[in-house]
Amino acid sequence: MNYTAPAPAVWDAAFADAEGCLLSSEQCVINAQHYFVKGMIEIPVIGSAEVFSWGVWVSLSPENFSRTADLWNTPGRESESPYFGWLTTDLRPYAHTTLNLKTHVHTRPIGRRPSVELERTDHPLAVEQRTGITLDRVREIAAAFLHPTGDSSW
């Protein structure tokens, strides 16, 4: 019930040893100029108590990334106002790119990844986040990852 991207779409393996670059399981920095956090887009599964989630990367401003890092281990951090960000993960099961969708990143308690709320648009991913998906749709997404066609990357 979860698929996760290993890195932002703009990450390149050549950055791994470059100065000013970092990729961890939760944060990413590219050339000390571009900042990203890992978060969860959660989608209710209709007729179930289950939630389907996408582990995605969102770009943040340098100020918001710094604030996130400062509060990383601070109890009560979930009381922070949401941060604006751009979705930086291309989820291939969607016909229209998910790159650069507008988001709000909601900090959660220590030990939980942020919740990523998409701007209310007619993009299929945003609609699914608002209205939920069926178990058949979950199976369709799983099939897209288990049996990829063409480019099997994110």
Side-chain angles (χ1 to χ4, degrees), residues 43 118-133:
I43 302 173
L118 296 168
E119 180 182 56
R120 293 180 68 89
T121 66
D122 62 354
H123 189 284
L125 178 59
V127 171
E128 287 180 347
Q129 187 177 40
R130 286 193 310 272
T131 63
I133 58 176

Side-chain angles (χ1 to χ4, degrees), residues 3-65:
Y3 290 92
T4 189
V10 293
W11 179 260
D12 186 285
F15 296 144
D17 296 323
E19 185 155 338
C21 294
L22 161 82
L23 177 62
S24 74
S25 61
E26 306 299 323
Q27 299 174 338
C28 179
V29 178
I30 298 177
N31 297 324
Q33 296 178 352
H34 306 284
Y35 303 90
F36 309 87
V37 294
K38 184 91 163 260
M40 305 303 290
I41 295 175
E42 295 173 332
I43 302 173
V45 178
I46 298 167
S48 167
E50 296 285 330
V51 173
F52 178 84
S53 59
W54 292 108
V56 296
W57 291 89
V58 177
S59 67
L60 294 180
S61 69
E63 298 79 19
N64 286 341
F65 183 83

Side-chain angles (χ1 to χ4, degrees), residues 61-133:
S61 69
E63 298 79 19
N64 286 341
F65 183 83
S66 179
R67 179 77 177 154
T68 299
D70 289 346
L71 296 175
W72 199 258
N73 293 310
T74 303
R77 68 185 192 166
E78 63 273 16
S79 64
E80 278 290 291
S81 296
Y83 304 120
F84 175 80
W86 298 97
L87 188 61
T88 320
T89 302
D90 193 14
L91 301 172
R92 301 291 184 188
Y94 295 92
H96 303 288
T97 185
T98 57
L99 287 173
N100 297 318
L101 292 177
K102 293 179 181 179
T103 70
H104 286 88
V105 178
H106 298 265
T107 304
R108 296 199 275 196
I110 296 170
R112 295 196 62 205
R113 283 189 174 135
S115 171
V116 177
E117 175 189 11
L118 296 168
E119 180 182 56
R120 293 180 68 89
T121 66
D122 62 354
H123 189 284
L125 178 59
V127 171
E128 287 180 347
Q129 187 177 40
R130 286 193 310 272
T131 63
I133 58 176

